Amino acid sequence: MLMEDGLSVVHLFGKPKKNVDRKAVNAAVRKAEAADCQVITASILGHKADFCFMTLCADWRTQRTLQNSLRDAGVDIVDSYVSITEVSEYAKGMPPEMLRGRLHPIIPPAELNAFCFYPMSKKREAHANWYSTPYERRQEMMMEHGTSGRAFAGQVAQVISGSTGLDDFEWGVTLFAKSPDVIKEVVYTMRFDEGSALYGEFGVFYVGYLDTIKNIL
């Protein structure tokens, strides 16, 4: 199942079983990378998961093979999220190289090792229905949101992937930051933007830091 444009993004959150085979996990990741799949590994804090395998690939079959191989190697997948890279309808007029970067991001960014993932949607409520709001007004709110984010340039980078029809929310947001407090500050700051304050709905947050397979298992 090849993507026509952009990349499939799959986050696999897991915990190691007692019989986890670390050599098999490494082999599975190397096989996926040989099939032109980016694999990012992160150590997760808290009870929800111990680690995350984030994959970006043009072929769902490669990601499914990796998922099966991790399971067979003794990884218990406790949660997951499926999405695809996209260019937002509000990004019209951006330079072509920036648009390509959204469809085909190269991650993780250098020296941004704090990790955060959460899904989000826009509300469809009588008093706050994003999808019945005129496009021009929605664009204004997204411009405000972008301005808030640019205040953290150099401290945080993001991959926003679309998941409408693919998972429980409409977008997956992956943040790579200079430190954990930067993650807290950027999420807190941007929640005051009208587009988030009135229309944002958020799912479960996973936080941690990037690390090697050897250290996360």
Side-chain angles (χ1 to χ4, degrees):
M1 294 292 295
L2 284 169
M3 294 281 296
E4 291 188 5
D5 198 9
L7 299 172
S8 167
V9 184
V10 177
H11 292 73
L12 299 174
F13 298 95
K15 296 185 177 184
K17 297 180 181 178
K18 290 183 178 180
N19 64 337
V20 64
D21 185 339
R22 291 169 177 80
K23 289 185 178 179
V25 171
N26 273 290
V29 170
R30 287 197 299 269
K31 182 177 179 180
E33 291 174 335
D36 202 23
C37 186
Q38 295 184 65
V39 182
I40 294 90
T41 52
S43 184
I44 301 298
L45 278 71
H47 74 285
K48 290 174 282 190
D50 289 328
F51 46 74
C52 175
F53 289 81
M54 177 183 178
T55 66
L56 293 88
C57 189
D59 193 341
W60 266 359
R61 289 168 293 197
T62 301
Q63 290 168 314
R64 179 60 181 175
T65 296
L66 174 60
Q67 180 177 322
N68 289 346
S69 298
L70 292 175
R71 181 200 61 203
D72 293 344
V75 171
D76 182 18
I77 305 297
V78 297
D79 199 3
S80 64
Y81 204 81
V82 178
S83 55
I84 60 176
T85 60
E86 65 176 11
V87 173
S88 167
E89 62 182 308
Y90 311 106
K92 294 177 181 178
M94 290 179 60
E97 60 273 15
M98 292 184 68
L99 298 181
R100 285 194 298 271
R102 294 193 177 192
L103 286 174
H104 297 273
I106 304 298
I107 57 175
E111 299 182 5
L112 300 180
N113 294 320
F115 174 87
C116 174
F117 171 80
Y118 61 92
M120 66 167 293
S121 294
K122 294 296 189 182
K123 289 181 181 178
R124 292 179 174 84
E125 299 178 2
H127 68 286
N129 189 327
W130 180 260
Y131 294 98
S132 65
T133 303
Y135 173 81
E136 292 76 15
R137 183 71 189 103
R138 286 184 278 126
Q139 188 175 39
E140 288 177 4
M141 288 186 278
M142 293 307 295
M143 291 288 287
E144 177 193 28
H145 204 56
T147 299
S148 296
R150 284 191 291 275
F152 295 88
Q155 300 182 72
V156 64
Q158 65 182 11
V159 175
I160 299 178
S161 43
S163 51
T164 300
L166 302 176
D167 218 312
D168 295 340
F169 288 76
E170 295 174 328
W171 293 276
V173 180
T174 308
L175 302 178
F176 302 93
K178 189 175 181 181
S179 62
D181 52 305
V182 172
I183 290 176
K184 177 180 179 296
E185 185 65 20
V186 70
V187 173
Y188 179 80
T189 298
M190 297 182 79
R191 285 195 179 195
F192 283 94
D193 296 338
E194 187 176 2
S196 289
L198 291 182
Y199 300 95
E201 294 184 318
F202 301 88
V204 174
F205 277 66
Y206 288 92
V207 296
Y209 53 91
L210 303 183
D211 210 339
T212 63
I213 295 174
K214 177 183 176 181
N215 290 333
I216 68 174
L217 288 181

